[in-house]
Amino acid sequence: QQQVKQSPQSLIVQKGGISIINCAYENTAFDYFPWYQQFPGKGPALLIAIRPDVSEKKEGRFTISFNKSAKQFSLHIMDSQPGDSATYFCAASFEAAGNKLTFGGGTRVLVKP
Amino acid sequence: NAGVTQTPKFQVLKTGQSMTLQCAQDMNHEYMSWYRQDPGMGLRLIHYSVGAGITDQGEVPNGYNVSRSTTEDFPLRLLSAAPSQTSVYFCASSYRPGTVPNYGYTFGSGTRLTVV
C-alpha cells in the first residue's frame, strides 16, 4: 500500500522555468511533510518541510504548498537552474509515532540550460 | 565533519552470506533509521530506533536485524543474503521532534549492495 503518491516521475524544464512536483497522502495522522533532494551517488538531503497548520512555506526559490482537505502538497522550484537537476522525494511522517518517514516514489528533474 | 558515516560504500555478497552494514553518527541524534532505495520505489523503511536500546520494525524488515547499544551506532545485519536484497541502503539520523526547530533527518551517503 503506497501511502504517499508522487507525480510526475520525471520532469524536464528550461532554465528559468518553474518545476512543480505533486504529492498526495492517505494517512490523516501524518503531521510532518518534508521534501528531500538527491544527487546521483549521494544520500537524500532535506530541502524544506511543512506542517499541516501552514498552507505555504517558502525558502529561497523553493516553496511548499499544502492542502490539508485534499490531502495534497506540492513543491515549486522557481527560476529553475541546471544545478537543481536532481531527484526529489516528498515524504510524510507522524512525529509522535517514531517520526518514521514514508516516501513518495521520486521525481527526476532535468533543467536544460 | 559531523554527519552520518556508512561503511562499506560498496559490497558484493553471495546468496546465503551474512554481513553487517555499519552506521555511525556524531550529532548526538536520538532517532536513527535504515532505508533501502530501489528504482521507482522511493525509500522504504527497514528498521528504526528512537534511542539506545530501543528498536522497531519498519515497512520491509524481513531478512534484516538491528541493535542499538549506543546513541552513535546503528548497525544493520543481513542474516542470509538473497538477490532480492540487492539495493542501495541508507542510514539516517535526527533529533527527537520538537527538541530543535529544524530537526529533519540527515542521511549517510549509502551502501550499494549486490547479492549474486
Side-chain angles (χ1 to χ4, degrees):
Chain A
Q1 179 185 3
Q2 188 178 6
Q3 294 197 52
V4 179
K5 295 184 179 180
Q6 184 172 346
S7 63
Q9 288 187 319
S10 62
L11 180 60
I12 299 174
V13 63
Q14 294 294 323
K15 179 183 176 182
I18 302 173
S19 303
I20 301 174
I21 306 170
N22 300 300
C23 284
Y25 64 97
E26 299 173 7
N27 189 344
T28 55
F30 288 147
D31 56 7
Y32 177 68
F33 301 87
W35 285 88
Y36 283 83
Q37 180 188 55
Q38 185 179 31
F39 293 105
K42 304 292 186 183
L46 179 66
L47 194 60
I48 187 173
I50 198 168
R51 289 184 175 79
D53 55 343
V54 176
S55 62
E56 186 175 281
K57 183 175 181 180
K58 183 177 180 180
E59 290 186 1
R61 297 184 293 108
F62 301 92
T63 300
I64 300 179
S65 297
F66 188 85
N67 187 328
K68 187 175 181 179
S69 61
K71 294 188 289 185
Q72 295 176 347
F73 58 111
S74 61
L75 177 70
H76 291 62
I77 307 174
M78 314 300 287
D79 187 26
S80 296
Q81 300 297 311
D84 297 332
S85 296
T87 300
Y88 293 82
F89 293 95
C90 63
S93 71
F94 179 30
E95 289 185 335
N99 200 36
K100 299 170 288 183
L101 291 172
T102 299
F103 282 87
T107 298
R108 183 171 292 183
V109 175
L110 176 63
V111 181
K112 290 194 168 182
Chain B
N1 290 337
V4 179
T5 302
Q6 290 185 239
T7 56
K9 293 190 183 301
F10 302 94
Q11 183 71 48
V12 178
L13 285 179
K14 293 183 178 179
T15 298
Q17 286 185 318
S18 63
M19 79 160 294
T20 299
L21 279 62
Q22 301 292 343
C23 175
Q25 53 91 9
D26 58 2
M27 299 171 283
N28 202 30
H29 286 169
E30 289 185 74
Y31 286 23
M32 296 188 75
S33 304
W34 276 101
Y35 292 85
R36 60 177 289 172
Q37 183 173 29
D38 302 293
M41 302 187 71
L43 291 93
R44 293 181 293 167
L45 182 65
I46 305 172
H47 285 286
Y48 70 100
S49 169
V50 297
I54 306 170
T55 64
D56 206 345
Q57 296 181 350
E59 180 185 354
V60 288
N62 292 340
Y64 307 95
N65 213 347
V66 292
S67 61
R68 183 107 180 262
S69 57
T70 67
T71 299
E72 294 79 19
D73 300 299
F74 192 42
L76 178 71
R77 298 181 187 83
L78 278 69
L79 308 174
S80 178
S84 61
Q85 294 178 305
T86 293
S87 187
V88 181
Y89 291 85
F90 288 100
C91 179
S93 70
S94 81
Y95 290 108
R96 177 184 297 272
T99 55
V100 296
N102 295 307
Y103 67 87
Y105 276 94
T106 298
F107 282 77
S109 58
T111 294
R112 186 174 294 273
L113 176 69
T114 302
V115 182
V116 298

Short mmCIF file of all heavy atoms in Angstrom, two decimals, chain A residues 32-90:
data_model
loop_
_atom_site.label_atom_id
_atom_site.label_comp_id
_atom_site.label_asym_id
_atom_site.label_seq_id
_atom_site.Cartn_x
_atom_site.Cartn_y
_atom_site.Cartn_z
N TYR A 32 3.90 15.84 9.46
CA TYR A 32 5.18 16.45 9.08
C TYR A 32 5.47 16.03 7.66
O TYR A 32 5.41 14.83 7.34
CB TYR A 32 6.28 15.99 10.04
CG TYR A 32 7.67 16.49 9.71
CD1 TYR A 32 8.02 17.82 9.84
CD2 TYR A 32 8.65 15.60 9.28
CE1 TYR A 32 9.29 18.26 9.55
CE2 TYR A 32 9.93 16.04 8.99
CZ TYR A 32 10.24 17.36 9.13
OH TYR A 32 11.52 17.81 8.83
N PHE A 33 5.74 17.02 6.78
CA PHE A 33 5.84 16.74 5.35
C PHE A 33 7.12 17.39 4.81
O PHE A 33 7.15 18.56 4.44
CB PHE A 33 4.62 17.29 4.61
CG PHE A 33 3.32 16.70 5.11
CD1 PHE A 33 2.64 17.27 6.17
CD2 PHE A 33 2.80 15.56 4.51
CE1 PHE A 33 1.45 16.71 6.64
CE2 PHE A 33 1.62 15.00 4.97
CZ PHE A 33 0.95 15.57 6.03
N PRO A 34 8.22 16.62 4.73
CA PRO A 34 9.47 17.17 4.20
C PRO A 34 9.66 16.82 2.73
O PRO A 34 9.07 15.88 2.21
CB PRO A 34 10.52 16.44 5.05
CG PRO A 34 9.89 15.11 5.35
CD PRO A 34 8.40 15.33 5.39
N TRP A 35 10.50 17.60 2.08
CA TRP A 35 10.97 17.30 0.74
C TRP A 35 12.48 17.10 0.80
O TRP A 35 13.18 17.86 1.47
CB TRP A 35 10.65 18.45 -0.22
CG TRP A 35 9.21 18.51 -0.61
CD1 TRP A 35 8.20 19.16 0.04
CD2 TRP A 35 8.61 17.90 -1.76
NE1 TRP A 35 7.01 18.99 -0.62
CE2 TRP A 35 7.23 18.22 -1.73
CE3 TRP A 35 9.09 17.12 -2.81
CZ2 TRP A 35 6.34 17.79 -2.71
CZ3 TRP A 35 8.22 16.69 -3.78
CH2 TRP A 35 6.85 17.03 -3.73
N TYR A 36 12.94 16.07 0.06
CA TYR A 36 14.36 15.78 0.00
C TYR A 36 14.85 15.89 -1.43
O TYR A 36 14.12 15.58 -2.38
CB TYR A 36 14.64 14.37 0.54
CG TYR A 36 14.59 14.29 2.05
CD1 TYR A 36 13.38 14.14 2.72
CD2 TYR A 36 15.75 14.39 2.80
CE1 TYR A 36 13.33 14.09 4.10
CE2 TYR A 36 15.72 14.33 4.18
CZ TYR A 36 14.50 14.18 4.83
OH TYR A 36 14.47 14.13 6.19
N GLN A 37 16.11 16.30 -1.56
CA GLN A 37 16.78 16.42 -2.86
C GLN A 37 17.92 15.41 -2.88
O GLN A 37 18.69 15.32 -1.91
CB GLN A 37 17.32 17.83 -3.03
CG GLN A 37 18.05 18.11 -4.33
CD GLN A 37 18.71 19.50 -4.28
OE1 GLN A 37 19.48 19.80 -3.39
NE2 GLN A 37 18.38 20.35 -5.25
N GLN A 38 18.04 14.67 -3.96
CA GLN A 38 19.10 13.67 -4.04
C GLN A 38 19.84 13.78 -5.36
O GLN A 38 19.23 13.71 -6.43
CB GLN A 38 18.54 12.25 -3.88
CG GLN A 38 19.61 11.18 -3.83
CD GLN A 38 19.03 9.78 -3.65
OE1 GLN A 38 17.93 9.50 -4.11
NE2 GLN A 38 19.78 8.91 -2.99
N PHE A 39 21.16 13.91 -5.26
CA PHE A 39 22.02 13.89 -6.45
C PHE A 39 22.58 12.48 -6.63
O PHE A 39 22.68 11.72 -5.66
CB PHE A 39 23.15 14.90 -6.29
CG PHE A 39 22.67 16.34 -6.28
CD1 PHE A 39 22.62 17.05 -5.10
CD2 PHE A 39 22.26 16.95 -7.45
CE1 PHE A 39 22.16 18.36 -5.08
CE2 PHE A 39 21.80 18.26 -7.45
CZ PHE A 39 21.75 18.97 -6.25
N PRO A 40 22.93 12.11 -7.86
CA PRO A 40 23.42 10.75 -8.11
C PRO A 40 24.59 10.39 -7.22
O PRO A 40 25.54 11.16 -7.04
CB PRO A 40 23.85 10.82 -9.58
CG PRO A 40 22.97 11.87 -10.17
CD PRO A 40 22.80 12.91 -9.10
N GLY A 41 24.51 9.20 -6.62
CA GLY A 41 25.58 8.72 -5.77
C GLY A 41 25.62 9.31 -4.38
O GLY A 41 26.53 9.01 -3.60
N LYS A 42 24.64 10.13 -4.05
CA LYS A 42 24.59 10.77 -2.74
C LYS A 42 23.32 10.36 -1.99
O LYS A 42 22.37 9.85 -2.57
CB LYS A 42 24.60 12.30 -2.89
CG LYS A 42 25.78 12.84 -3.67
CD LYS A 42 27.08 12.66 -2.93
CE LYS A 42 28.23 13.33 -3.66
NZ LYS A 42 29.53 13.10 -2.96
N GLY A 43 23.33 10.61 -0.69
CA GLY A 43 22.13 10.40 0.09
C GLY A 43 21.17 11.56 -0.05
O GLY A 43 21.58 12.67 -0.43
N PRO A 44 19.90 11.36 0.24
CA PRO A 44 18.93 12.47 0.20
C PRO A 44 19.31 13.54 1.21
O PRO A 44 19.85 13.24 2.29
CB PRO A 44 17.61 11.79 0.59
CG PRO A 44 17.83 10.34 0.35
CD PRO A 44 19.27 10.08 0.62
N ALA A 45 19.02 14.79 0.86
CA ALA A 45 19.29 15.92 1.75
C ALA A 45 18.00 16.71 1.94
O ALA A 45 17.28 16.97 0.96
CB ALA A 45 20.38 16.81 1.18
N LEU A 46 17.69 17.06 3.17
CA LEU A 46 16.47 17.81 3.47
C LEU A 46 16.50 19.16 2.77
O LEU A 46 17.46 19.92 2.88
CB LEU A 46 16.33 18.00 4.97
CG LEU A 46 15.10 18.78 5.43
CD1 LEU A 46 13.82 18.01 5.10
CD2 LEU A 46 15.18 19.06 6.94
N LEU A 47 15.41 19.44 2.05
CA LEU A 47 15.30 20.69 1.30
C LEU A 47 14.42 21.70 2.03
O LEU A 47 14.81 22.82 2.30
CB LEU A 47 14.71 20.37 -0.07
CG LEU A 47 14.78 21.40 -1.18
CD1 LEU A 47 16.22 21.76 -1.50
CD2 LEU A 47 14.09 20.84 -2.43
N ILE A 48 13.24 21.27 2.38
CA ILE A 48 12.25 22.14 3.02
C ILE A 48 11.17 21.25 3.60
O ILE A 48 10.95 20.14 3.10
CB ILE A 48 11.67 23.14 1.99
CG1 ILE A 48 10.77 24.18 2.64
CG2 ILE A 48 10.97 22.42 0.85
CD1 ILE A 48 10.31 25.29 1.67
N ALA A 49 10.51 21.70 4.66
CA ALA A 49 9.47 20.89 5.29
C ALA A 49 8.33 21.78 5.76
O ALA A 49 8.51 22.98 6.00
CB ALA A 49 10.05 20.10 6.46
N ILE A 50 7.14 21.16 5.91
CA ILE A 50 5.96 21.92 6.34
C ILE A 50 5.11 21.07 7.26
O ILE A 50 5.18 19.83 7.21
CB ILE A 50 5.14 22.36 5.09
CG1 ILE A 50 4.18 23.50 5.43
CG2 ILE A 50 4.40 21.17 4.48
CD1 ILE A 50 3.56 24.15 4.20
N ARG A 51 4.37 21.72 8.11
CA ARG A 51 3.39 21.06 8.97
C ARG A 51 1.99 21.49 8.55
O ARG A 51 1.83 22.56 7.97
CB ARG A 51 3.66 21.39 10.43
CG ARG A 51 4.93 20.71 10.96
CD ARG A 51 5.16 20.96 12.43
NE ARG A 51 6.32 20.20 12.90
CZ ARG A 51 7.58 20.57 12.71
NH1 ARG A 51 7.85 21.68 12.06
NH2 ARG A 51 8.55 19.82 13.16
N PRO A 52 0.95 20.69 8.84
CA PRO A 52 -0.37 20.93 8.27
C PRO A 52 -1.08 22.18 8.77
O PRO A 52 -2.14 22.53 8.25
CB PRO A 52 -1.16 19.66 8.65
CG PRO A 52 -0.38 18.99 9.70
CD PRO A 52 1.03 19.41 9.55
N ASP A 53 -0.54 22.88 9.76
CA ASP A 53 -1.18 24.11 10.22
C ASP A 53 -0.78 25.31 9.37
O ASP A 53 -1.24 26.43 9.61
CB ASP A 53 -0.85 24.36 11.69
CG ASP A 53 0.65 24.40 11.96
OD1 ASP A 53 1.42 23.92 11.10
OD2 ASP A 53 1.05 24.89 13.02
N VAL A 54 0.07 25.07 8.36
CA VAL A 54 0.54 26.13 7.47
C VAL A 54 0.19 25.75 6.04
O VAL A 54 0.36 24.60 5.65
CB VAL A 54 2.07 26.31 7.61
CG1 VAL A 54 2.58 27.35 6.62
CG2 VAL A 54 2.42 26.71 9.04
N SER A 55 -0.30 26.67 5.24
CA SER A 55 -0.70 26.35 3.86
C SER A 55 0.42 26.56 2.86
O SER A 55 0.38 26.02 1.75
CB SER A 55 -1.91 27.19 3.45
OG SER A 55 -1.58 28.57 3.48
N GLU A 56 1.42 27.33 3.23
CA GLU A 56 2.52 27.59 2.31
C GLU A 56 3.77 27.95 3.09
O GLU A 56 3.73 28.62 4.11
CB GLU A 56 2.16 28.73 1.35
CG GLU A 56 3.18 28.97 0.26
CD GLU A 56 2.73 30.03 -0.74
OE1 GLU A 56 1.92 29.70 -1.62
OE2 GLU A 56 3.21 31.17 -0.62
N LYS A 57 4.92 27.46 2.58
CA LYS A 57 6.20 27.80 3.17
C LYS A 57 7.20 28.02 2.06
O LYS A 57 7.27 27.23 1.13
CB LYS A 57 6.68 26.69 4.11
CG LYS A 57 7.99 27.02 4.84
CD LYS A 57 8.34 25.94 5.82
CE LYS A 57 9.63 26.29 6.57
NZ LYS A 57 9.98 25.23 7.54
N LYS A 58 7.95 29.11 2.17
CA LYS A 58 8.89 29.46 1.13
C LYS A 58 10.28 29.60 1.72
O LYS A 58 10.47 30.23 2.75
CB LYS A 58 8.48 30.79 0.47
CG LYS A 58 9.35 31.22 -0.68
CD LYS A 58 8.81 32.50 -1.30
CE LYS A 58 9.68 32.96 -2.48
NZ LYS A 58 9.16 34.20 -3.10
N GLU A 59 11.26 29.00 1.03
CA GLU A 59 12.66 29.16 1.40
C GLU A 59 13.46 29.36 0.12
O GLU A 59 13.67 28.43 -0.65
CB GLU A 59 13.18 27.95 2.18
CG GLU A 59 12.61 27.81 3.57
CD GLU A 59 13.23 26.69 4.39
OE1 GLU A 59 14.14 26.02 3.88
OE2 GLU A 59 12.79 26.49 5.53
N GLY A 60 13.83 30.62 -0.12
CA GLY A 60 14.55 30.94 -1.34
C GLY A 60 13.70 30.67 -2.56
O GLY A 60 12.57 31.16 -2.65
N ARG A 61 14.19 29.86 -3.49
CA ARG A 61 13.44 29.55 -4.71
C ARG A 61 12.49 28.37 -4.54
O ARG A 61 11.80 27.98 -5.48
CB ARG A 61 14.42 29.26 -5.84
CG ARG A 61 15.30 30.45 -6.22
CD ARG A 61 16.19 30.15 -7.42
NE ARG A 61 17.20 29.16 -7.13
CZ ARG A 61 17.19 27.92 -7.59
NH1 ARG A 61 16.19 27.51 -8.37
NH2 ARG A 61 18.17 27.08 -7.31
N PHE A 62 12.46 27.77 -3.36
CA PHE A 62 11.65 26.58 -3.11
C PHE A 62 10.43 26.92 -2.26
O PHE A 62 10.55 27.58 -1.23
CB PHE A 62 12.49 25.51 -2.42
CG PHE A 62 13.68 25.07 -3.21
CD1 PHE A 62 14.91 25.68 -3.05
CD2 PHE A 62 13.57 24.06 -4.15
CE1 PHE A 62 16.02 25.29 -3.79
CE2 PHE A 62 14.67 23.65 -4.89
CZ PHE A 62 15.89 24.27 -4.72
N THR A 63 9.26 26.48 -2.70
CA THR A 63 8.01 26.73 -1.99
C THR A 63 7.21 25.45 -1.88
O THR A 63 7.08 24.70 -2.85
CB THR A 63 7.15 27.78 -2.73
OG1 THR A 63 7.88 29.02 -2.83
CG2 THR A 63 5.84 28.04 -1.99
N ILE A 64 6.71 25.18 -0.67
CA ILE A 64 5.77 24.08 -0.47
C ILE A 64 4.38 24.68 -0.35
O ILE A 64 4.16 25.61 0.44
CB ILE A 64 6.05 23.27 0.80
CG1 ILE A 64 7.44 22.65 0.79
CG2 ILE A 64 5.01 22.16 0.94
CD1 ILE A 64 7.73 21.87 2.07
N SER A 65 3.42 24.11 -1.09
CA SER A 65 2.00 24.45 -0.91
C SER A 65 1.32 23.24 -0.31
O SER A 65 1.56 22.11 -0.75
CB SER A 65 1.36 24.80 -2.26
OG SER A 65 1.97 25.95 -2.80
N PHE A 66 0.47 23.47 0.68
CA PHE A 66 -0.16 22.35 1.40
C PHE A 66 -1.67 22.53 1.43
O PHE A 66 -2.17 23.60 1.79
CB PHE A 66 0.40 22.29 2.82
CG PHE A 66 -0.03 21.07 3.59
CD1 PHE A 66 0.67 19.88 3.46
CD2 PHE A 66 -1.14 21.10 4.42
CE1 PHE A 66 0.28 18.74 4.14
CE2 PHE A 66 -1.54 19.98 5.11
CZ PHE A 66 -0.82 18.79 4.98
N ASN A 67 -2.39 21.47 1.04
CA ASN A 67 -3.86 21.48 1.05
C ASN A 67 -4.33 20.34 1.93
O ASN A 67 -4.39 19.19 1.49
CB ASN A 67 -4.41 21.34 -0.37
CG ASN A 67 -5.92 21.51 -0.44
OD1 ASN A 67 -6.64 21.16 0.49
ND2 ASN A 67 -6.40 22.04 -1.55
N LYS A 68 -4.65 20.65 3.18
CA LYS A 68 -5.00 19.61 4.15
C LYS A 68 -6.29 18.90 3.77
O LYS A 68 -6.38 17.67 3.88
CB LYS A 68 -5.13 20.23 5.54
CG LYS A 68 -5.33 19.22 6.65
CD LYS A 68 -5.33 19.91 8.01
CE LYS A 68 -5.51 18.91 9.13
NZ LYS A 68 -5.47 19.59 10.46
N SER A 69 -7.29 19.62 3.31
CA SER A 69 -8.58 18.99 2.99
C SER A 69 -8.45 18.02 1.82
O SER A 69 -9.12 16.98 1.78
CB SER A 69 -9.63 20.04 2.69
OG SER A 69 -9.25 20.82 1.57
N ALA A 70 -7.60 18.32 0.87
CA ALA A 70 -7.39 17.45 -0.28
C ALA A 70 -6.31 16.41 -0.03
O ALA A 70 -6.11 15.52 -0.86
CB ALA A 70 -7.02 18.29 -1.50
N LYS A 71 -5.62 16.52 1.09
CA LYS A 71 -4.51 15.62 1.42
C LYS A 71 -3.46 15.64 0.31
O LYS A 71 -3.01 14.58 -0.17
CB LYS A 71 -5.01 14.22 1.71
CG LYS A 71 -5.87 14.15 2.98
CD LYS A 71 -6.21 12.73 3.40
CE LYS A 71 -7.18 12.09 2.47
NZ LYS A 71 -7.61 10.75 2.92
N GLN A 72 -3.09 16.85 -0.08
CA GLN A 72 -2.11 17.02 -1.14
C GLN A 72 -1.10 18.11 -0.76
O GLN A 72 -1.45 19.06 -0.04
CB GLN A 72 -2.79 17.39 -2.46
CG GLN A 72 -3.70 16.31 -3.02
CD GLN A 72 -4.43 16.75 -4.26
OE1 GLN A 72 -4.46 17.93 -4.60
NE2 GLN A 72 -5.02 15.80 -4.97
N PHE A 73 0.11 17.96 -1.25
CA PHE A 73 1.10 19.01 -1.09
C PHE A 73 2.03 18.99 -2.29
O PHE A 73 2.15 17.97 -2.97
CB PHE A 73 1.87 18.89 0.23
CG PHE A 73 2.61 17.60 0.45
CD1 PHE A 73 3.99 17.58 0.45
CD2 PHE A 73 1.93 16.41 0.70
CE1 PHE A 73 4.68 16.41 0.68
CE2 PHE A 73 2.61 15.23 0.92
CZ PHE A 73 3.99 15.23 0.92
N SER A 74 2.62 20.13 -2.57
CA SER A 74 3.42 20.24 -3.77
C SER A 74 4.67 21.08 -3.52
O SER A 74 4.71 21.90 -2.60
CB SER A 74 2.61 20.84 -4.92
OG SER A 74 2.17 22.14 -4.57
N LEU A 75 5.67 20.83 -4.35
CA LEU A 75 6.92 21.59 -4.32
C LEU A 75 7.02 22.40 -5.61
O LEU A 75 6.85 21.84 -6.70
CB LEU A 75 8.12 20.65 -4.21
CG LEU A 75 9.50 21.31 -4.25
CD1 LEU A 75 9.74 22.12 -2.97
CD2 LEU A 75 10.60 20.27 -4.43
N HIS A 76 7.26 23.69 -5.47
CA HIS A 76 7.50 24.55 -6.61
C HIS A 76 8.95 25.03 -6.55
O HIS A 76 9.40 25.54 -5.51
CB HIS A 76 6.59 25.78 -6.57
CG HIS A 76 5.15 25.48 -6.80
ND1 HIS A 76 4.40 24.67 -5.98
CD2 HIS A 76 4.31 25.88 -7.79
CE1 HIS A 76 3.16 24.58 -6.43
NE2 HIS A 76 3.07 25.29 -7.53
N ILE A 77 9.66 24.84 -7.65
CA ILE A 77 11.03 25.36 -7.77
C ILE A 77 10.98 26.51 -8.76
O ILE A 77 10.76 26.29 -9.96
CB ILE A 77 12.02 24.28 -8.24
CG1 ILE A 77 11.93 23.04 -7.35
CG2 ILE A 77 13.44 24.84 -8.23
CD1 ILE A 77 12.78 21.87 -7.85
N MET A 78 11.14 27.70 -8.27
CA MET A 78 11.10 28.89 -9.11
C MET A 78 12.46 29.14 -9.74
O MET A 78 13.49 28.78 -9.17
CB MET A 78 10.67 30.10 -8.28
CG MET A 78 9.48 29.86 -7.37
SD MET A 78 8.00 29.38 -8.26
CE MET A 78 7.60 30.97 -8.99
N ASP A 79 12.45 29.78 -10.92
CA ASP A 79 13.71 30.14 -11.59
C ASP A 79 14.66 28.95 -11.59
O ASP A 79 15.80 29.03 -11.12
CB ASP A 79 14.34 31.35 -10.88
CG ASP A 79 15.56 31.90 -11.60
OD1 ASP A 79 15.65 31.72 -12.82
OD2 ASP A 79 16.43 32.49 -10.92
N SER A 80 14.20 27.82 -12.10
CA SER A 80 14.98 26.58 -12.06
C SER A 80 16.35 26.76 -12.73
O SER A 80 16.47 27.41 -13.78
CB SER A 80 14.21 25.46 -12.77
OG SER A 80 13.00 25.17 -12.08
N GLN A 81 17.37 26.17 -12.11
CA GLN A 81 18.75 26.26 -12.59
C GLN A 81 19.28 24.86 -12.90
O GLN A 81 18.83 23.88 -12.31
CB GLN A 81 19.62 26.92 -11.53
CG GLN A 81 19.20 28.33 -11.16
CD GLN A 81 19.32 29.28 -12.34
OE1 GLN A 81 20.36 29.31 -13.02
NE2 GLN A 81 18.26 30.05 -12.59
N PRO A 82 20.27 24.77 -13.80
CA PRO A 82 20.84 23.44 -14.10
C PRO A 82 21.32 22.70 -12.85
O PRO A 82 21.23 21.48 -12.78
CB PRO A 82 22.00 23.78 -15.04
CG PRO A 82 21.55 25.02 -15.73
CD PRO A 82 20.79 25.81 -14.70
N GLY A 83 21.78 23.43 -11.84
CA GLY A 83 22.22 22.81 -10.59
C GLY A 83 21.08 22.21 -9.78
O GLY A 83 21.33 21.47 -8.83
N ASP A 84 19.84 22.50 -10.16
CA ASP A 84 18.68 21.91 -9.49
C ASP A 84 18.35 20.52 -10.05
O ASP A 84 17.47 19.84 -9.52
CB ASP A 84 17.44 22.80 -9.67
CG ASP A 84 17.59 24.17 -9.02
OD1 ASP A 84 18.34 24.27 -8.04
OD2 ASP A 84 16.96 25.13 -9.51
N SER A 85 19.05 20.12 -11.13
CA SER A 85 18.81 18.81 -11.73
C SER A 85 19.16 17.74 -10.70
O SER A 85 20.31 17.60 -10.28
CB SER A 85 19.65 18.64 -12.99
OG SER A 85 19.26 19.58 -13.97
N ALA A 86 18.16 16.98 -10.29
CA ALA A 86 18.30 16.00 -9.21
C ALA A 86 17.00 15.22 -9.13
O ALA A 86 16.05 15.48 -9.88
CB ALA A 86 18.57 16.70 -7.88
N THR A 87 16.98 14.27 -8.22
CA THR A 87 15.73 13.56 -7.92
C THR A 87 15.15 14.13 -6.64
O THR A 87 15.88 14.30 -5.65
CB THR A 87 15.97 12.05 -7.79
OG1 THR A 87 16.49 11.55 -9.03
CG2 THR A 87 14.66 11.32 -7.48
N TYR A 88 13.87 14.41 -6.65
CA TYR A 88 13.19 15.00 -5.49
C TYR A 88 12.19 14.00 -4.93
O TYR A 88 11.44 13.37 -5.67
CB TYR A 88 12.50 16.29 -5.90
CG TYR A 88 13.47 17.37 -6.28
CD1 TYR A 88 14.03 17.41 -7.55
CD2 TYR A 88 13.88 18.34 -5.37
CE1 TYR A 88 14.97 18.37 -7.91
CE2 TYR A 88 14.80 19.31 -5.71
CZ TYR A 88 15.35 19.31 -6.99
OH TYR A 88 16.28 20.27 -7.34
N PHE A 89 12.20 13.89 -3.62
CA PHE A 89 11.28 12.98 -2.93
C PHE A 89 10.44 13.77 -1.94
O PHE A 89 10.96 14.56 -1.15
CB PHE A 89 12.05 11.92 -2.15
CG PHE A 89 12.80 10.94 -2.99
CD1 PHE A 89 14.14 11.13 -3.27
CD2 PHE A 89 12.17 9.80 -3.48
CE1 PHE A 89 14.85 10.21 -4.05
CE2 PHE A 89 12.87 8.89 -4.26
CZ PHE A 89 14.20 9.09 -4.54
N CYS A 90 9.14 13.54 -1.98
CA CYS A 90 8.30 14.03 -0.89
C CYS A 90 8.20 12.91 0.15
O CYS A 90 8.47 11.74 -0.15
CB CYS A 90 6.91 14.42 -1.38
SG CYS A 90 5.94 13.07 -2.08
#
